[in-house]
Amino acid sequence: KKTFQGPFQGCHGVVNPQEFYRHCLYDVCMSDGDKRTLCKVLEAYAATCKNKGATVKDWRTPAGC
């Protein structure tokens, strides 16, 4: 999030990450840091990006999903 680099960098200009980030923080905190929850949130962001035509690189490996 800090540098907006990484697998989602091609998406940030197409889909604003702020709302997804807020939901991610809430969902992961409410699930006591459950990795599956993090992966679901990232998957939703990736799908939204792809649906809008943005290129998303491999995010599963760095995120451990």
Side-chain angles (χ1 to χ4, degrees), residues 39-52:
C39 294
K40 286 180 183 179
V41 172
L42 292 174
E43 187 173 4
Y45 186 59
T48 301
C49 293
K50 288 179 182 178
N51 286 339
K52 298 284 185 175

Side-chain angles (χ1 to χ4, degrees), residues 2-38:
K2 286 183 181 180
T3 63
F4 290 105
Q5 299 300 312
F8 294 106
Q9 72 185 35
C11 183
H12 296 316
V14 178
V15 178
N16 188 335
Q18 294 299 86
E19 192 67 26
F20 282 89
Y21 181 72
R22 280 194 291 269
H23 286 289
C24 182
L25 282 178
Y26 179 81
D27 292 345
V28 172
C29 286
M30 293 304 291
S31 68
D32 291 325
D34 181 51
K35 186 72 145 195
R36 291 172 298 186
T37 301
L38 172 64

